[in-house]
Amino acid sequence: MPAIATHSRLATPRSTAPAIVAGALRTSAAEDTATFDRVGTVISMRRDQVLCFEGDPARYCFKVVRGAMRGCRLLPDGRRHVMQFLLPGDLVAFDSQESYRATVEAVNDATVIRYPRHAVDQLVQRHPRLGRSLLGKLCADLCAAHVQMLLLGRKNALERLASFLLAMSERNDEDDRIELPMTRSDIADHLGLTMETVSRSFTQLKACGVIELKASSEVLIRRREALQDIADAA
Amino acid sequence: MPAIATHSRLATPRSTAPAIVAGALRTSAAEDTATFDRVGTVISMRRDQVLCFEGDPARYCFKVVRGAMRGCRLLPDGRRHVMQFLLPGDLVAFDSQESYRATVEAVNDATVIRYPRHAVDQLVQRHPRLGRSLLGKLCADLCAAHVQMLLLGRKNALERLASFLLAMSERNDEDDRIELPMTRSDIADHLGLTMETVSRSFTQLKACGVIELKASSEVLIRRREALQDIADAA
DNA sequence: CGCCGCATTGAAATTAGTCAATACTCGTGG
DNA sequence: CCACGAGTATTGACTAATTTCAATGCGGCG
Protein backbone atom coordinates (compact mmCIF):
# COMPACT_ATOMS: atom_id res chain seq x y z
CA MET A 1 0.00 0.00 0.00
CA PRO A 2 2.33 2.64 -1.24
CA ALA A 3 2.13 6.34 -0.47
CA ILE A 4 0.60 8.79 -2.90
CA ALA A 5 -0.58 6.15 -5.34
CA THR A 6 -0.10 2.61 -6.45
CA HIS A 7 2.99 1.94 -8.41
CA SER A 8 1.56 -0.18 -11.14
CA ARG A 9 3.91 -1.82 -13.57
CA LEU A 10 2.24 -1.42 -16.90
CA ALA A 11 1.97 -3.36 -20.11
CA THR A 12 5.07 -5.14 -21.42
CA PRO A 13 6.93 -7.49 -19.16
CA ARG A 14 10.69 -7.22 -18.45
CA SER A 15 10.63 -3.48 -18.92
CA THR A 16 12.19 -1.70 -15.98
CA ALA A 17 13.99 1.50 -16.84
CA PRO A 18 12.03 4.54 -18.01
CA ALA A 19 9.15 2.13 -18.23
CA ILE A 20 5.53 2.49 -19.07
CA VAL A 21 4.83 1.17 -22.41
CA ALA A 22 2.34 1.06 -25.22
CA GLY A 23 -1.01 1.19 -23.55
CA ALA A 24 0.03 3.47 -20.76
CA LEU A 25 -2.15 6.14 -22.23
CA ARG A 26 -5.10 3.89 -22.59
CA THR A 27 -7.82 4.24 -19.99
CA SER A 28 -10.49 1.70 -19.30
CA ALA A 29 -13.24 3.39 -21.29
CA ALA A 30 -13.00 2.96 -25.03
CA GLU A 31 -14.11 6.49 -25.74
CA ASP A 32 -11.08 7.85 -23.93
CA THR A 33 -8.73 5.83 -26.04
CA ALA A 34 -10.44 7.43 -28.97
CA THR A 35 -9.99 10.83 -27.39
CA PHE A 36 -6.31 10.27 -26.92
CA ASP A 37 -5.83 8.97 -30.38
CA ARG A 38 -7.61 12.01 -31.72
CA VAL A 39 -5.29 14.42 -29.92
CA GLY A 40 -2.12 12.51 -30.78
CA THR A 41 -0.13 13.38 -33.89
CA VAL A 42 2.19 10.84 -35.47
CA ILE A 43 5.65 12.24 -36.17
CA SER A 44 8.34 10.62 -38.25
CA MET A 45 11.88 11.34 -37.17
CA ARG A 46 15.03 10.89 -39.17
CA ARG A 47 18.30 9.94 -37.54
CA ASP A 48 19.71 12.77 -35.39
CA GLN A 49 16.64 14.90 -35.88
CA VAL A 50 15.68 16.86 -32.77
CA LEU A 51 12.29 16.29 -31.20
CA CYS A 52 12.52 18.98 -28.53
CA PHE A 53 15.14 21.24 -26.99
CA GLU A 54 16.16 21.41 -23.36
CA GLY A 55 14.71 24.53 -21.79
CA ASP A 56 11.96 25.09 -24.34
CA PRO A 57 8.45 25.38 -22.88
CA ALA A 58 7.05 21.87 -22.66
CA ARG A 59 3.95 22.22 -24.82
CA TYR A 60 3.81 18.57 -25.78
CA CYS A 61 4.33 15.13 -24.37
CA PHE A 62 5.55 12.30 -26.56
CA LYS A 63 5.48 8.56 -26.82
CA VAL A 64 8.05 6.62 -28.81
CA VAL A 65 6.44 3.92 -30.93
CA ARG A 66 9.28 2.90 -33.27
CA GLY A 67 13.03 3.32 -33.30
CA ALA A 68 15.05 4.84 -30.48
CA MET A 69 15.56 8.32 -29.10
CA ARG A 70 18.10 9.80 -26.71
CA GLY A 71 17.54 12.45 -24.04
CA CYS A 72 20.65 14.62 -23.73
CA ARG A 73 21.99 17.46 -21.68
CA LEU A 74 24.92 19.57 -22.74
CA LEU A 75 27.56 21.65 -20.99
CA PRO A 76 28.46 25.00 -22.57
CA ASP A 77 31.73 23.60 -23.92
CA GLY A 78 30.00 20.74 -25.71
CA ARG A 79 30.41 17.92 -23.25
CA ARG A 80 27.30 15.80 -23.51
CA HIS A 81 25.47 13.45 -21.23
CA VAL A 82 22.79 11.07 -22.47
CA MET A 83 20.35 10.84 -19.57
CA GLN A 84 18.45 7.94 -21.06
CA PHE A 85 17.61 6.07 -24.20
CA LEU A 86 13.94 5.93 -25.09
CA LEU A 87 12.60 2.84 -26.78
CA PRO A 88 9.17 2.01 -28.19
CA GLY A 89 6.59 2.48 -25.46
CA ASP A 90 8.66 4.99 -23.49
CA LEU A 91 7.18 8.35 -22.62
CA VAL A 92 8.79 11.76 -22.83
CA ALA A 93 7.91 14.84 -20.77
CA PHE A 94 4.99 13.26 -18.94
CA ASP A 95 5.71 15.16 -15.78
CA SER A 96 4.91 18.51 -14.31
CA GLN A 97 7.94 20.47 -15.45
CA GLU A 98 7.39 23.78 -17.20
CA SER A 99 10.07 23.15 -19.78
CA TYR A 100 11.83 20.20 -21.34
CA ARG A 101 14.57 18.93 -19.11
CA ALA A 102 16.57 17.44 -21.97
CA THR A 103 17.07 17.71 -25.67
CA VAL A 104 15.54 14.65 -27.28
CA GLU A 105 16.94 13.40 -30.60
CA ALA A 106 16.44 10.37 -32.79
CA VAL A 107 19.12 7.71 -32.50
CA ASN A 108 17.90 6.16 -35.73
CA ASP A 109 14.82 6.63 -37.88
CA ALA A 110 11.93 6.65 -35.47
CA THR A 111 8.23 7.32 -35.02
CA VAL A 112 6.81 9.32 -32.16
CA ILE A 113 3.31 10.31 -31.13
CA ARG A 114 2.90 13.86 -29.93
CA TYR A 115 0.20 14.82 -27.42
CA PRO A 116 -0.63 18.43 -26.59
CA ARG A 117 -0.02 18.86 -22.95
CA HIS A 118 -3.38 20.38 -22.06
CA ALA A 119 -5.08 17.32 -23.51
CA VAL A 120 -2.97 15.09 -21.30
CA ASP A 121 -3.80 17.27 -18.32
CA GLN A 122 -7.51 16.98 -19.03
CA LEU A 123 -7.36 13.23 -19.44
CA VAL A 124 -5.44 12.86 -16.22
CA GLN A 125 -7.99 15.03 -14.41
CA ARG A 126 -10.76 12.80 -15.63
CA HIS A 127 -9.01 9.50 -15.02
CA PRO A 128 -7.24 9.17 -11.70
CA ARG A 129 -6.08 5.73 -12.70
CA LEU A 130 -4.14 7.19 -15.60
CA GLY A 131 -2.62 9.74 -13.27
CA ARG A 132 -1.48 6.99 -10.97
CA SER A 133 0.13 5.16 -13.89
CA LEU A 134 2.11 8.22 -14.78
CA LEU A 135 3.05 8.72 -11.16
CA GLY A 136 4.32 5.16 -11.11
CA LYS A 137 6.44 5.91 -14.14
CA LEU A 138 7.84 8.98 -12.41
CA CYS A 139 8.88 6.88 -9.42
CA ALA A 140 10.43 4.27 -11.67
CA ASP A 141 12.35 6.97 -13.51
CA LEU A 142 13.62 8.42 -10.25
CA CYS A 143 14.71 4.99 -9.15
CA ALA A 144 16.50 4.43 -12.46
CA ALA A 145 18.19 7.80 -12.10
CA HIS A 146 19.49 6.78 -8.69
CA VAL A 147 20.86 3.53 -10.05
CA GLN A 148 22.56 5.48 -12.82
CA MET A 149 24.06 7.88 -10.28
CA LEU A 150 25.65 4.99 -8.45
CA LEU A 151 27.00 3.71 -11.75
CA LEU A 152 28.43 7.08 -12.75
CA GLY A 153 29.83 7.86 -9.35
CA ARG A 154 31.34 4.57 -8.33
CA LYS A 155 31.69 1.99 -11.09
CA ASN A 156 34.64 1.52 -13.41
CA ALA A 157 34.42 1.28 -17.19
CA LEU A 158 33.90 -2.49 -17.39
CA GLU A 159 31.26 -2.48 -14.66
CA ARG A 160 29.43 0.37 -16.37
CA LEU A 161 29.27 -1.38 -19.70
CA ALA A 162 28.18 -4.65 -18.09
CA SER A 163 25.41 -2.82 -16.24
CA PHE A 164 24.31 -1.10 -19.41
CA LEU A 165 24.14 -4.32 -21.40
CA LEU A 166 22.09 -6.01 -18.70
CA ALA A 167 19.73 -3.05 -18.53
CA MET A 168 19.29 -3.10 -22.29
CA SER A 169 18.76 -6.83 -22.18
CA GLU A 170 15.94 -6.39 -19.70
CA ARG A 171 14.16 -4.03 -22.03
CA ASN A 172 14.29 -6.63 -24.77
CA ASP A 173 11.94 -9.38 -25.62
CA GLU A 174 14.70 -11.74 -26.61
CA ASP A 175 16.59 -13.51 -23.90
CA ASP A 176 20.27 -13.16 -24.63
CA ARG A 177 20.44 -11.13 -27.81
CA ILE A 178 20.69 -7.37 -27.57
CA GLU A 179 20.24 -4.98 -30.44
CA LEU A 180 22.04 -1.69 -29.85
CA PRO A 181 20.63 1.00 -32.11
CA MET A 182 22.94 3.68 -30.72
CA THR A 183 26.59 4.38 -31.56
CA ARG A 184 29.55 3.81 -29.26
CA SER A 185 29.65 7.57 -28.69
CA ASP A 186 26.04 7.55 -27.55
CA ILE A 187 26.82 4.72 -25.15
CA ALA A 188 29.93 6.54 -23.95
CA ASP A 189 27.97 9.72 -23.26
CA HIS A 190 25.41 7.66 -21.37
CA LEU A 191 28.03 5.94 -19.22
CA GLY A 192 30.29 8.92 -18.61
CA LEU A 193 33.14 7.46 -20.66
CA THR A 194 34.73 7.99 -24.06
CA MET A 195 33.96 6.05 -27.20
CA GLU A 196 37.41 4.45 -27.05
CA THR A 197 37.01 3.25 -23.49
CA VAL A 198 33.60 1.79 -24.33
CA SER A 199 35.12 0.00 -27.29
CA ARG A 200 37.96 -1.38 -25.20
CA SER A 201 35.48 -2.58 -22.59
CA PHE A 202 33.49 -4.40 -25.26
CA THR A 203 36.70 -6.06 -26.37
CA GLN A 204 37.47 -7.05 -22.80
CA LEU A 205 34.03 -8.60 -22.23
CA LYS A 206 34.43 -10.43 -25.51
CA ALA A 207 37.91 -11.62 -24.58
CA CYS A 208 36.75 -13.28 -21.37
CA GLY A 209 33.86 -14.96 -23.15
CA VAL A 210 31.09 -13.12 -21.38
CA ILE A 211 29.61 -11.67 -24.53
CA GLU A 212 29.91 -12.14 -28.25
CA LEU A 213 29.55 -9.49 -30.94
CA LYS A 214 27.65 -10.71 -34.00
CA ALA A 215 28.03 -7.19 -35.32
CA SER A 216 29.05 -4.02 -33.57
CA SER A 217 25.39 -3.38 -32.84
CA GLU A 218 24.37 -6.93 -31.99
CA VAL A 219 25.45 -8.40 -28.69
CA LEU A 220 24.99 -11.94 -27.52
CA ILE A 221 25.19 -12.63 -23.82
CA ARG A 222 27.16 -15.82 -23.35
CA ARG A 223 27.49 -15.94 -19.57
CA ARG A 224 24.82 -13.86 -17.95
CA GLU A 225 25.86 -14.59 -14.36
CA ALA A 226 29.40 -13.50 -15.10
CA LEU A 227 28.08 -10.32 -16.67
CA GLN A 228 25.87 -9.79 -13.64
CA ASP A 229 28.81 -10.27 -11.29
CA ILE A 230 30.84 -7.70 -13.16
CA ALA A 231 27.95 -5.25 -13.23
CA ASP A 232 27.23 -5.60 -9.51
CA ALA A 233 30.90 -5.53 -8.59
CA ALA A 234 30.18 -8.72 -6.66
CA MET B 1 -0.35 24.54 -17.20
CA PRO B 2 1.82 21.50 -16.57
CA ALA B 3 0.82 17.94 -17.17
CA ILE B 4 -0.37 15.73 -14.35
CA ALA B 5 -0.35 18.44 -11.72
CA THR B 6 1.00 21.81 -10.82
CA HIS B 7 4.57 21.94 -9.75
CA SER B 8 4.25 24.18 -6.77
CA ARG B 9 7.37 25.38 -5.04
CA LEU B 10 6.57 25.11 -1.39
CA ALA B 11 7.43 26.96 1.77
CA THR B 12 11.00 28.23 2.17
CA PRO B 13 12.54 30.35 -0.55
CA ARG B 14 15.86 29.50 -2.28
CA SER B 15 15.33 25.78 -1.73
CA THR B 16 15.74 23.84 -4.93
CA ALA B 17 17.12 20.36 -4.54
CA PRO B 18 15.10 17.63 -2.80
CA ALA B 19 12.84 20.50 -1.86
CA ILE B 20 9.54 20.68 -0.06
CA VAL B 21 10.02 22.02 3.32
CA ALA B 22 8.38 22.49 6.66
CA GLY B 23 4.71 22.95 5.91
CA ALA B 24 4.65 20.59 2.99
CA LEU B 25 2.55 18.24 4.98
CA ARG B 26 0.19 20.89 6.09
CA THR B 27 -3.14 21.03 4.33
CA SER B 28 -5.47 23.99 4.34
CA ALA B 29 -7.85 22.67 6.97
CA ALA B 30 -6.59 23.00 10.51
CA GLU B 31 -8.02 19.64 11.55
CA ASP B 32 -5.79 17.89 9.04
CA THR B 33 -2.69 19.46 10.44
CA ALA B 34 -3.78 18.07 13.73
CA THR B 35 -4.30 14.68 12.14
CA PHE B 36 -0.85 14.67 10.70
CA ASP B 37 0.76 15.78 13.89
CA ARG B 38 -1.06 13.01 15.69
CA VAL B 39 0.30 10.35 13.36
CA GLY B 40 3.86 11.72 13.31
CA THR B 41 6.43 10.46 15.79
CA VAL B 42 9.45 12.58 16.65
CA ILE B 43 12.69 10.63 16.43
CA SER B 44 16.08 11.75 17.68
CA MET B 45 19.04 10.50 15.71
CA ARG B 46 22.63 10.39 16.80
CA ARG B 47 25.45 10.86 14.34
CA ASP B 48 25.79 7.90 11.94
CA GLN B 49 22.66 6.28 13.28
CA VAL B 50 20.60 4.56 10.58
CA LEU B 51 17.04 5.70 9.95
CA CYS B 52 16.15 3.07 7.37
CA PHE B 53 17.86 0.46 5.24
CA GLU B 54 17.85 0.22 1.49
CA GLY B 55 15.56 -2.59 0.40
CA ASP B 56 13.52 -2.77 3.61
CA PRO B 57 9.77 -2.46 3.14
CA ALA B 58 8.93 1.22 3.22
CA ARG B 59 6.50 1.32 6.13
CA TYR B 60 7.20 4.92 7.02
CA CYS B 61 7.86 8.28 5.46
CA PHE B 62 10.05 10.82 7.20
CA LYS B 63 10.65 14.52 7.38
CA VAL B 64 13.92 15.97 8.60
CA VAL B 65 13.39 18.84 11.03
CA ARG B 66 16.86 19.34 12.51
CA GLY B 67 20.39 18.33 11.54
CA ALA B 68 21.32 16.59 8.33
CA MET B 69 20.88 13.11 6.91
CA ARG B 70 22.42 11.31 3.96
CA GLY B 71 20.77 8.85 1.58
CA CYS B 72 23.29 6.22 0.49
CA ARG B 73 23.57 3.26 -1.78
CA LEU B 74 26.31 0.68 -1.48
CA LEU B 75 28.04 -1.74 -3.82
CA PRO B 76 28.82 -5.21 -2.47
CA ASP B 77 32.50 -4.37 -2.06
CA GLY B 78 31.76 -1.32 0.06
CA ARG B 79 31.93 1.46 -2.50
CA ARG B 80 29.36 4.02 -1.47
CA HIS B 81 27.38 6.68 -3.21
CA VAL B 82 25.54 9.42 -1.35
CA MET B 83 22.48 10.10 -3.50
CA GLN B 84 21.54 13.23 -1.61
CA PHE B 85 21.88 15.13 1.60
CA LEU B 86 18.65 15.81 3.44
CA LEU B 87 18.32 19.04 5.36
CA PRO B 88 15.55 20.35 7.63
CA GLY B 89 12.30 20.37 5.68
CA ASP B 90 13.33 17.62 3.27
CA LEU B 91 11.17 14.55 2.91
CA VAL B 92 12.21 10.92 2.73
CA ALA B 93 10.34 8.09 1.05
CA PHE B 94 7.34 10.14 0.04
CA ASP B 95 6.86 8.24 -3.17
CA SER B 96 5.18 5.08 -4.31
CA GLN B 97 8.07 2.63 -3.97
CA GLU B 98 7.49 -0.60 -2.08
CA SER B 99 10.82 -0.46 -0.32
CA TYR B 100 13.38 2.14 0.64
CA ARG B 101 15.60 3.02 -2.25
CA ALA B 102 18.48 4.12 -0.06
CA THR B 103 19.91 3.69 3.38
CA VAL B 104 19.38 6.91 5.29
CA GLU B 105 21.78 7.84 8.06
CA ALA B 106 22.37 10.85 10.27
CA VAL B 107 25.27 13.07 9.23
CA ASN B 108 25.20 14.70 12.64
CA ASP B 109 22.77 14.66 15.54
CA ALA B 110 19.38 15.17 13.98
CA THR B 111 15.64 15.11 14.54
CA VAL B 112 13.19 13.43 12.21
CA ILE B 113 9.44 13.03 12.17
CA ARG B 114 8.18 9.61 11.17
CA TYR B 115 4.78 9.15 9.50
CA PRO B 116 3.19 5.74 9.00
CA ARG B 117 2.72 5.32 5.33
CA HIS B 118 -0.94 4.38 5.41
CA ALA B 119 -1.69 7.63 7.19
CA VAL B 120 0.09 9.55 4.46
CA ASP B 121 -1.84 7.61 1.85
CA GLN B 122 -5.13 8.48 3.52
CA LEU B 123 -4.26 12.13 3.80
CA VAL B 124 -3.25 12.26 0.17
CA GLN B 125 -6.49 10.58 -0.83
CA ARG B 126 -8.46 13.20 1.04
CA HIS B 127 -6.43 16.18 -0.10
CA PRO B 128 -5.58 16.29 -3.77
CA ARG B 129 -3.66 19.48 -3.21
CA LEU B 130 -1.29 17.67 -0.90
CA GLY B 131 -0.87 14.96 -3.50
CA ARG B 132 0.07 17.54 -6.08
CA SER B 133 2.64 19.01 -3.73
CA LEU B 134 4.27 15.66 -3.33
CA LEU B 135 4.13 15.11 -7.06
CA GLY B 136 5.88 18.42 -7.52
CA LYS B 137 8.59 17.29 -5.15
CA LEU B 138 8.96 14.08 -7.11
CA CYS B 139 9.50 16.04 -10.33
CA ALA B 140 11.99 18.33 -8.63
CA ASP B 141 13.86 15.31 -7.31
CA LEU B 142 13.99 13.75 -10.75
CA CYS B 143 15.27 16.99 -12.18
CA ALA B 144 17.92 17.20 -9.48
CA ALA B 145 18.92 13.61 -10.20
CA HIS B 146 19.42 14.48 -13.87
CA VAL B 147 21.58 17.46 -12.97
CA GLN B 148 23.62 15.22 -10.72
CA MET B 149 24.00 12.65 -13.51
CA LEU B 150 25.48 15.30 -15.77
CA LEU B 151 27.84 16.28 -12.96
CA LEU B 152 28.95 12.71 -12.30
CA GLY B 153 29.25 11.79 -15.94
CA ARG B 154 30.91 14.82 -17.39
CA LYS B 155 32.38 17.27 -14.88
CA ASN B 156 35.88 17.25 -13.44
CA ALA B 157 36.71 17.42 -9.75
CA LEU B 158 36.85 21.20 -9.51
CA GLU B 159 33.61 21.68 -11.41
CA ARG B 160 31.89 19.10 -9.21
CA LEU B 161 32.91 20.77 -6.00
CA ALA B 162 31.96 24.21 -7.32
CA SER B 163 28.53 22.89 -8.33
CA PHE B 164 28.08 21.28 -4.94
CA LEU B 165 28.96 24.43 -3.03
CA LEU B 166 26.55 26.48 -5.11
CA ALA B 167 23.79 23.93 -4.59
CA MET B 168 24.39 23.95 -0.85
CA SER B 169 24.45 27.72 -0.87
CA GLU B 170 21.02 27.81 -2.49
CA ARG B 171 19.59 25.67 0.27
CA ASN B 172 20.88 28.14 2.83
CA ASP B 173 19.28 31.23 4.25
CA GLU B 174 22.53 33.08 4.41
CA ASP B 175 23.89 34.60 1.28
CA ASP B 176 27.53 33.66 0.99
CA ARG B 177 28.22 31.56 4.02
CA ILE B 178 27.82 27.81 3.80
CA GLU B 179 27.78 25.45 6.73
CA LEU B 180 28.83 21.93 5.72
CA PRO B 181 27.67 19.43 8.33
CA MET B 182 29.09 16.48 6.40
CA THR B 183 32.68 15.20 6.25
CA ARG B 184 34.95 15.35 3.22
CA SER B 185 34.29 11.64 2.71
CA ASP B 186 30.56 12.25 2.59
CA ILE B 187 31.08 14.98 0.01
CA ALA B 188 33.42 12.75 -1.94
CA ASP B 189 30.89 9.94 -2.02
CA HIS B 190 28.27 12.40 -3.18
CA LEU B 191 30.45 13.75 -5.99
CA GLY B 192 31.96 10.47 -7.13
CA LEU B 193 35.47 11.41 -5.97
CA THR B 194 37.81 10.54 -3.12
CA MET B 195 38.20 12.50 0.07
CA GLU B 196 41.68 13.55 -1.03
CA THR B 197 40.54 14.91 -4.37
CA VAL B 198 37.76 16.86 -2.66
CA SER B 199 40.28 18.30 -0.23
CA ARG B 200 42.64 19.26 -3.05
CA SER B 201 39.78 20.92 -4.91
CA PHE B 202 38.89 22.94 -1.82
CA THR B 203 42.50 24.06 -1.65
CA GLN B 204 42.41 25.02 -5.32
CA LEU B 205 39.25 27.09 -4.96
CA LYS B 206 40.78 28.74 -1.94
CA ALA B 207 44.03 29.41 -3.80
CA CYS B 208 42.32 31.30 -6.60
CA GLY B 209 40.34 33.38 -4.15
CA VAL B 210 36.92 32.02 -5.07
CA ILE B 211 36.14 30.74 -1.60
CA GLU B 212 37.51 31.08 1.89
CA LEU B 213 37.46 28.44 4.63
CA LYS B 214 36.68 29.87 8.05
CA ALA B 215 36.85 26.30 9.29
CA SER B 216 36.87 23.04 7.38
CA SER B 217 33.09 23.02 7.67
CA GLU B 218 32.44 26.69 7.08
CA VAL B 219 32.80 28.06 3.57
CA LEU B 220 32.61 31.67 2.52
CA ILE B 221 31.91 32.39 -1.11
CA ARG B 222 34.16 35.26 -2.14
CA ARG B 223 33.46 35.42 -5.89
CA ARG B 224 30.16 33.82 -6.69
CA GLU B 225 30.30 34.49 -10.44
CA ALA B 226 33.70 32.85 -10.69
CA LEU B 227 32.36 29.86 -8.76
CA GLN B 228 29.36 29.75 -11.08
CA ASP B 229 31.59 29.84 -14.15
CA ILE B 230 33.64 26.94 -12.84
CA ALA B 231 30.52 24.96 -11.96
CA ASP B 232 28.91 25.50 -15.35
CA ALA B 233 32.12 24.87 -17.24
CA ALA B 234 31.45 28.18 -18.94
C1' DC C 1 48.27 18.51 27.61
C1' DG C 2 47.70 14.91 24.72
C1' DC C 3 44.96 12.02 22.04
C1' DC C 4 41.77 10.90 18.33
C1' DG C 5 39.49 11.78 14.21
C1' DC C 6 39.35 14.36 10.29
C1' DA C 7 41.68 17.18 6.83
C1' DT C 8 45.51 18.31 4.12
C1' DT C 9 49.57 17.44 1.51
C1' DG C 10 52.97 14.62 -1.07
C1' DA C 11 54.62 10.97 -4.17
C1' DA C 12 53.68 6.89 -6.80
C1' DA C 13 50.40 4.03 -9.23
C1' DT C 14 46.39 3.39 -12.03
C1' DT C 15 42.63 4.34 -14.82
C1' DA C 16 40.62 6.59 -18.34
C1' DG C 17 41.32 10.21 -21.87
C1' DT C 18 43.58 11.99 -26.07
C1' DC C 19 45.48 11.72 -30.43
C1' DA C 20 46.44 9.04 -34.34
C1' DA C 21 46.46 5.08 -37.29
C1' DT C 22 44.06 1.09 -39.01
C1' DA C 23 40.03 -1.89 -39.79
C1' DC C 24 35.51 -2.82 -40.62
C1' DT C 25 30.61 -2.14 -42.84
C1' DC C 26 27.41 -0.82 -45.63
C1' DG C 27 25.66 1.57 -49.41
C1' DT C 28 26.71 3.45 -54.10
C1' DG C 29 28.21 3.50 -58.53
C1' DG C 30 31.22 1.76 -62.08
C1' DC D 1 29.87 -8.18 -58.91
C1' DC D 2 33.38 -5.66 -57.20
C1' DA D 3 35.70 -1.38 -55.89
C1' DC D 4 35.34 2.74 -53.46
C1' DG D 5 34.27 5.89 -49.86
C1' DA D 6 32.12 7.68 -45.76
C1' DG D 7 31.15 6.89 -41.32
C1' DT D 8 31.99 3.91 -37.27
C1' DA D 9 34.62 0.98 -34.56
C1' DT D 10 38.85 -0.88 -32.93
C1' DT D 11 43.54 -0.73 -31.55
C1' DG D 12 47.92 1.47 -30.14
C1' DA D 13 50.96 4.76 -27.86
C1' DC D 14 51.16 8.40 -24.96
C1' DT D 15 49.24 11.87 -21.56
C1' DA D 16 46.48 13.66 -17.99
C1' DA D 17 43.49 13.24 -14.17
C1' DT D 18 42.26 10.92 -10.22
C1' DT D 19 43.19 7.34 -6.93
C1' DT D 20 45.98 5.14 -3.68
C1' DC D 21 49.09 4.90 -0.02
C1' DA D 22 51.51 7.27 3.39
C1' DA D 23 52.87 11.09 6.22
C1' DT D 24 51.85 15.31 8.46
C1' DG D 25 48.80 18.93 10.26
C1' DC D 26 45.00 20.70 12.81
C1' DG D 27 41.18 21.14 16.29
C1' DG D 28 38.23 19.82 19.78
C1' DC D 29 37.49 17.22 23.90
C1' DG D 30 38.55 14.47 27.83
Side-chain angles (χ1 to χ4, degrees):
Chain A
M1 198 185 291
I4 301 183
T6 43
H7 175 187
S8 55
R9 176 70 73 70
L10 300 136
T12 23
R14 309 203 63 197
S15 181
T16 24
I20 283 211
V21 230
L25 291 184
R26 232 175 274 139
T27 55
S28 34
E31 102 227 27
D32 300 318
T33 312
T35 306
F36 233 128
D37 287 351
R38 203 158 58 233
V39 298
T41 309
V42 174
I43 298 182
S44 286
M45 304 283 300
R46 277 205 304 283
R47 191 186 196 226
D48 291 329
Q49 198 181 329
V50 176
L51 179 65
C52 65
F53 285 97
E54 176 186 348
D56 277 2
R59 272 193 277 275
Y60 301 101
C61 305
F62 307 92
K63 182 169 75 173
V64 180
V65 293
R66 184 186 63 99
M69 311 286 292
R70 58 173 175 258
C72 317
R73 267 185 180 242
L74 291 170
L75 287 175
D77 64 357
R79 277 174 280 176
R80 184 179 74 147
H81 186 78
V82 174
M83 323 301 298
Q84 55 181 346
F85 291 109
L86 300 150
L87 302 182
D90 288 340
L91 303 182
V92 185
F94 278 85
D95 59 39
S96 40
Q97 298 294 124
E98 307 284 332
S99 48
Y100 297 118
R101 271 196 318 270
T103 297
V104 180
E105 305 161 335
V107 163
N108 50 14
D109 291 357
T111 307
V112 169
I113 303 183
R114 188 182 73 188
Y115 307 99
R117 196 134 166 179
H118 62 83
V120 174
D121 281 331
Q122 278 174 12
L123 264 174
V124 169
Q125 295 276 337
R126 239 181 310 163
H127 303 284
R129 216 176 128 274
L130 180 56
R132 281 196 298 274
S133 292
L134 294 173
L135 185 63
K137 168 192 158 37
L138 214 54
C139 290
D141 278 2
L142 187 59
C143 197
H146 281 180
V147 169
Q148 190 71 358
M149 278 169 58
L150 179 61
L151 178 147
L152 293 168
R154 286 295 174 232
K155 288 186 182 177
N156 65 29
L158 201 66
E159 291 162 352
R160 290 182 199 197
L161 183 59
S163 306
F164 173 70
L165 291 177
L166 284 168
M168 285 302 290
S169 153
E170 286 188 20
R171 300 173 70 179
N172 245 14
D173 287 331
E174 300 162 77
D175 258 2
D176 288 335
R177 210 189 66 91
I178 313 171
E179 181 66 30
L180 298 175
M182 65 295 284
T183 67
R184 296 289 189 258
S185 276
D186 287 335
I187 298 174
D189 286 344
H190 181 55
L191 300 180
L193 300 168
T194 60
M195 201 184 65
E196 292 91 336
T197 302
V198 169
S199 189
R200 281 184 244 270
S201 301
F202 265 112
T203 305
Q204 228 176 313
L205 287 177
K206 221 171 27 177
C208 59
V210 172
I211 63 167
E212 190 176 324
L213 285 181
K214 308 301 280 185
S216 70
S217 67
E218 189 184 346
V219 181
L220 229 96
I221 299 180
R222 277 258 162 273
R223 304 197 284 126
R224 184 175 285 270
E225 329 69 47
L227 194 61
Q228 195 79 58
D229 285 352
I230 295 172
D232 298 347
Chain B
M1 198 186 291
I4 301 183
T6 44
H7 176 188
S8 56
R9 177 71 72 69
L10 299 137
T12 22
R14 310 203 62 197
S15 181
T16 23
I20 284 211
V21 230
L25 291 183
R26 232 176 274 139
T27 57
S28 35
E31 102 227 28
D32 301 317
T33 312
T35 306
F36 233 128
D37 286 351
R38 206 159 54 236
V39 298
T41 309
V42 174
I43 298 183
S44 286
M45 305 283 299
R46 277 206 304 282
R47 189 185 197 227
D48 291 329
Q49 198 182 328
V50 176
L51 179 66
C52 64
F53 286 97
E54 176 185 348
D56 277 3
R59 272 193 278 275
Y60 301 100
C61 305
F62 307 93
K63 182 168 74 172
V64 179
V65 293
R66 183 186 64 99
M69 311 286 292
R70 58 174 176 256
C72 316
R73 269 186 178 242
L74 291 170
L75 287 174
D77 64 357
R79 276 175 279 176
R80 184 180 76 147
H81 186 78
V82 174
M83 323 302 296
Q84 56 181 343
F85 291 109
L86 300 149
L87 303 182
D90 289 340
L91 303 182
V92 185
F94 278 85
D95 59 40
S96 40
Q97 300 292 126
E98 307 284 331
S99 49
Y100 297 118
R101 272 196 317 272
T103 296
V104 179
E105 304 162 335
V107 163
N108 50 15
D109 291 357
T111 308
V112 169
I113 304 183
R114 188 181 74 189
Y115 306 100
R117 197 135 165 179
H118 61 85
V120 174
D121 282 330
Q122 280 175 11
L123 264 173
V124 169
Q125 294 277 337
R126 239 180 311 163
H127 303 283
R129 216 177 127 276
L130 180 56
R132 281 196 298 274
S133 293
L134 294 175
L135 186 63
K137 169 191 156 38
L138 214 54
C139 289
D141 278 2
L142 186 58
C143 197
H146 281 180
V147 169
Q148 190 71 358
M149 278 168 59
L150 179 62
L151 178 147
L152 292 169
R154 286 296 173 230
K155 288 185 181 177
N156 65 29
L158 202 64
E159 293 162 352
R160 292 183 199 197
L161 183 60
S163 306
F164 172 70
L165 291 177
L166 284 168
M168 285 301 291
S169 153
E170 285 187 20
R171 300 174 69 181
N172 245 13
D173 288 330
E174 300 163 78
D175 259 1
D176 289 334
R177 211 190 64 92
I178 313 169
E179 181 66 31
L180 298 175
M182 65 293 284
T183 67
R184 296 290 189 258
S185 276
D186 287 334
I187 297 173
D189 285 346
H190 181 55
L191 300 179
L193 300 169
T194 59
M195 199 185 65
E196 291 91 335
T197 301
V198 168
S199 187
R200 282 184 245 270
S201 301
F202 265 111
T203 306
Q204 228 175 314
L205 288 178
K206 220 169 30 174
C208 57
V210 172
I211 63 166
E212 189 177 323
L213 285 182
K214 307 301 282 185
S216 69
S217 67
E218 189 184 345
V219 181
L220 229 95
I221 300 181
R222 278 259 163 270
R223 304 198 284 126
R224 183 175 286 269
E225 328 70 47
L227 195 60
Q228 194 78 58
D229 286 351
I230 295 172
D232 298 346

